[in-house]
Amino acid sequence: MAPPPPPLAASTPLLHGEFGSYPARGPRYALTLTSQALHIQRLRPKPEARPRGGLVPLAEVSGCCTLRSRSPSDSAAYFCIYTYPRGRLGGRRRATRTFRADGAATYEENRAEAQRWAIALTCLLRGLPLPGDGEITPDLLPRPPRLLLLVNPFGGRGLAWQWCKNYVLPMISEAGLSFNLIQTERQNHARELVQGLRLSEWDGIVTVSGDGLLFEVLNGLLDRSDWEEAVKMPVGILPCGSGNALAGAVNQHGGFEPALGLDLLLNCSLLLCRGGGHPLDLLSVTLASGSRCFSFLSVAWGFVSDVDIQSERFRALGSVRFTLGTMLGLATLHTYRGRLSYLPATVEPSSPAPAHGLPRAKSELTLTPDPAPPMAHSPLHRSVSDLPLPLPQPALASPGSPEPLPILSLNGGGPELAGDWGGAGDAPLSPDPLLSSPPGSPKAALLSPVAKGPPVIPPSSGLPPPTPDARVSASTCGPPDHLLPPLGSPLPPDWVTLEEDFVLMLAISPSHLGADMVAAPHARFNDGLVHLCWVRSGISRTALLRLFLAMERGSHFSLGCPQLGYAAARAFRLEPLTPRGVLTVDGEQVEYGPLQAQMHPGLGTLLTGPPGLCQGAALLFHNSWLWGSQDLFRIVLTEAVGG
């Protein structure tokens, strides 16, 4: 067997060709596709030596489709890409680029060329290699991933459903992803749903809400009798909540600039469209009663948990609730006596933090941080599917979009496009019905429809705020905690114990505590560590506020605050010695009392998209014309003169 071909450089041209534009009277372009971008250079009426807006990074592309004219006399085929570039003010806005394949005399030949580009681009977006012989056929396309979307309509100040309908569904439809959507109706509804799913029907479960809904999903998977297989199900998160901590970490992992609100949602949706999973560490937390739950985010005690729970009354304000809660918490700052014990990590983590290190307590670990087959689908309650999507087309239109959003994929499915795709005298375009579906594509399933308009939620299904005696449902399955002795038993001698008056204690797994709060800048999704941060008593309100402001940039460890402590651990035990307080796991209030936890490395799988996607695109943007001004321009100029 011949060895596989070496990987191509990011700037190596994979496809090159000349296209017209739509409407037909527009300019003509030379398109060059590389593994990271689509280069667009105008040929006529006047060639551009250095085109403006001529680079479309794949990091900004959600998907593509092929189209044909409704005019019988038009022999051209059309190739359309859906992009979400950042505007001058930073926000993303949907845009489309439609190109006319008209180099051949017959429609069939032009259609084959448009298909070739659409297939090649789709393969690149999904991270699939292209054959070295240049033969690009529909056989290269994978079966469209089938996702189960769980939407909490109460998330994001009640905007979750609207954002899902206006932004998420159109984008994943453009990407050719297959989905079913369910609106959750009450607390623990998502947990109950995933416990009864036939998981072989799905390629991933994605929550459209805050962090709380994903907490339910993961614990539901781990509470199944087949948890060892169930926990392998890839899970994703599209942020429509208040904190959106995990989404902030996914956004950073993808190489995007920090973002909030709708921009964060669009970034994470773009990453989801690209596919790709990453191992996810899960923390097994045993509570005082002996019940157990699994955390993907954090365990908090003191100031952080106080702010999280007390700010629930301001949930209608969105992420501003945490700012207001922080101000109120600073005004009534408390200290808590407690005992923190941990099993130090044997491997020191790397971090981008400054080299002078972190403040250490006596006996604290010394650290120097550096920076599935097709089958019939089971019926789902209150579900909506893209096969077909029973929502009216106007309901899927993003505000300000240059044209209506078609539900398109490479198989040519979906409604016809509106007539305003064309200019005066131009025949409108419609999805190309001749491009066959990829092998193994799922057939349409008959699923229960959803009424038009916003979801109708019964009055009894509201999500009440946590109460002082709130409990997180216990997980009876999952892996054993082999590093933990029974709660209340003496700890092994290799553990480190601190007994202090604390302002806060935070055990965090990913880097972010909120979308804009980088609590552990050196943390990774699968570093196998729980990152312990604490603040001792004696810190002033001003210094504590300065810490949280610096946490927005992940620079709080560089302040040299003597009350700030840190350790990387594999397991820990927390014993509150103050009779009253608040404990939270992933933002959910749990019973107050001693708890202990162990990290289980890579137990779950998180849908993150490719790593460093936008960073690579930024580098490409600066360096693209190193070859573009020579090789590409030489190709373009030669073809322009020859034409």
Side-chain angles (χ1 to χ4, degrees):
M1 177 181 291
L8 296 172
S11 59
T12 302
L14 303 175
L15 287 178
H16 181 79
E18 181 179 331
F19 288 81
S21 57
Y22 183 78
R25 297 174 307 284
R28 296 192 66 80
Y29 298 98
L31 302 186
T32 302
L33 181 64
T34 71
S35 62
Q36 290 192 4
L38 177 67
H39 301 256
I40 306 171
Q41 195 158 15
R42 191 176 67 193
L43 295 175
R44 301 184 183 92
K46 182 179 179 180
E48 294 175 305
R50 190 179 180 89
R52 294 173 296 175
L55 179 72
V56 180
L58 298 193
E60 297 178 347
V61 177
S62 62
C64 61
C65 71
T66 54
L67 306 164
R68 69 173 302 175
S69 173
R70 294 187 197 154
S71 172
S73 61
D74 189 354
S75 63
Y78 297 85
F79 166 55
C80 176
I81 62 172
Y82 303 100
T83 66
Y84 290 81
R86 294 179 64 87
R88 294 182 179 178
L89 299 180
R92 294 195 182 276
R93 180 184 176 89
R94 179 183 178 274
T96 61
R97 302 293 295 265
T98 304
F99 302 97
R100 175 185 171 101
D102 53 5
T106 66
Y107 170 73
E108 286 70 22
E109 293 174 289
N110 290 324
R111 177 176 62 93
E113 180 67 6
Q115 288 181 17
R116 196 163 71 99
W117 280 76
I119 293 168
L121 181 56
T122 300
C123 288
L124 293 177
L125 292 175
R126 301 279 175 84
L128 301 174
L130 293 176
D133 58 8
E135 284 294 322
I136 299 174
T137 65
D139 294 337
L140 297 176
L141 293 175
R143 176 180 62 83
R146 188 162 185 85
L147 303 177
L148 176 61
L149 303 184
L150 301 179
V151 182
N152 173 15
F154 302 98
R157 294 175 294 168
L159 293 176
W161 169 249
Q162 202 68 27
W163 281 8
C164 178
K165 184 174 60 173
N166 288 347
Y167 301 101
V168 174
L169 299 188
M171 189 182 291
I172 64 177
S173 296
E174 294 161 359
L177 304 181
S178 183
F179 66 90
N180 273 46
L181 180 148
I182 301 177
Q183 303 158 21
T184 60
E185 300 175 349
R186 61 186 181 279
Q187 204 163 22
N188 282 321
H189 187 191
R191 181 172 184 149
E192 297 165 6
L193 284 170
V194 300
Q195 286 175 343
L197 283 180
R198 289 205 296 258
L199 296 179
S200 59
E201 300 180 5
W202 308 99
D203 299 306
I205 301 175
V206 179
T207 61
V208 186
S209 184
D211 296 310
L213 200 59
L214 186 59
F215 176 84
E216 291 187 22
V217 168
L218 284 170
N219 279 275
L221 292 174
L222 281 159
D223 206 26
R224 294 169 57 114
S225 59
D226 62 343
W227 65 267
E228 291 180 271
E229 287 299 318
V231 75
K232 297 177 184 178
M233 170 63 63
V235 297
I237 188 166
L238 296 178
C240 288
S242 301
N244 302 320
L246 187 63
V250 170
N251 185 73
Q252 176 178 280
H253 178 269
F256 289 117
E257 293 294 322
L260 295 173
L262 183 57
D263 286 339
L264 179 62
L265 174 63
L266 294 177
N267 287 353
C268 291
S269 298
L270 280 171
L271 291 170
L272 179 68
C273 290
R274 298 294 301 272
H278 197 283
L280 178 66
D281 296 342
L282 295 179
L283 188 69
S284 169
V285 183
T286 303
L287 305 175
S289 62
S291 61
R292 191 170 69 145
C293 62
F294 288 86
S295 162
F296 64 87
L297 183 57
S298 66
V299 176
W301 176 50
F303 184 81
V304 172
S305 58
D306 291 348
V307 168
D308 200 357
I309 297 306
Q310 293 174 9
S311 65
E312 283 284 346
R313 55 184 145 163
F314 310 122
R315 179 172 287 274
L317 300 177
S319 59
V320 179
R321 64 178 262 218
F322 297 111
T323 302
L324 183 56
T326 299
M327 295 299 103
L328 294 177
L330 287 171
T332 59
L333 192 61
H334 298 287
T335 59
Y336 301 88
R337 187 74 179 176
R339 187 180 301 116
L340 174 63
S341 305
Y342 60 89
L343 176 62
T346 55
V347 179
E348 297 179 358
S350 61
S351 162
H356 65 255
L358 301 176
R360 297 192 297 115
K362 183 179 179 180
S363 76
E364 184 180 328
L365 177 67
T366 302
L367 294 174
T368 310
D370 280 331
M375 60 186 297
H377 291 269
S378 55
L380 295 173
H381 181 55
R382 298 180 63 84
S383 67
V384 58
S385 172
D386 60 336
L387 300 171
L389 188 67
L391 290 170
Q393 185 67 20
L396 289 180
S398 302
S401 295
E403 54 267 331
L405 296 177
I407 308 171
L408 298 173
S409 61
L410 283 178
N411 61 11
E416 292 185 342
L417 302 180
D420 60 357
W421 272 65
D426 288 286
L429 304 179
S430 62
D432 182 357
L434 299 180
L435 184 56
S436 58
S437 301
S441 296
K443 303 301 181 182
L446 296 178
L447 298 162
S448 54
V450 167
K452 299 179 181 180
V456 179
I457 306 298
S460 60
S461 64
L463 301 181
T467 57
D469 60 347
R471 296 289 185 270
V472 170
S473 300
S475 178
T476 57
C477 301
D481 296 325
H482 62 283
L483 298 178
L484 297 175
L487 190 59
S489 301
L491 292 168
D494 54 345
W495 284 55
V496 177
T497 298
L498 304 171
E499 186 171 327
E500 304 270 359
D501 289 324
F502 295 98
V503 171
L504 67 86
M505 197 291 296
L506 177 67
I508 189 167
S509 176
S511 55
H512 285 56
L513 182 60
D516 57 348
M517 298 190 71
V518 190
H522 49 293
R524 301 295 179 263
F525 292 123
N526 66 330
D527 57 14
L529 303 174
V530 54
H531 302 271
L532 302 176
C533 308
W534 60 87
V535 175
R536 304 177 190 87
S537 64
I539 189 171
S540 67
R541 290 178 172 83
T542 302
L544 184 60
L545 179 59
R546 190 179 299 121
L547 280 179
F548 277 90
L549 292 176
M551 198 179 291
E552 294 181 2
R553 303 178 301 277
S555 60
H556 46 296
F557 290 121
S558 66
L559 298 180
C561 176
Q563 290 84 17
L564 176 62
Y566 169 85
R570 300 170 62 199
F572 73 93
R573 177 183 288 180
L574 176 63
E575 300 170 272
L577 303 179
T578 303
R580 299 182 61 184
V582 175
L583 284 168
T584 59
V585 176
D586 292 1
E588 304 292 327
Q589 186 173 354
V590 298
E591 59 184 288
Y592 188 71
L595 61 79
Q596 60 184 16
Q598 172 185 327
M599 182 59 74
H600 292 276
L603 182 60
T605 301
L606 181 66
L607 294 169
T608 59
L613 185 63
C614 193
Q615 293 171 351
L619 180 63
L620 175 66
F621 180 81
H622 291 295
N623 297 335
S624 61
W625 299 109
L626 293 178
W627 68 269
S629 59
Q630 302 170 23
D631 302 323
L632 177 61
F633 184 60
R634 189 181 302 115
I635 295 171
V636 168
L637 191 58
T638 300
E639 294 192 359
V641 173

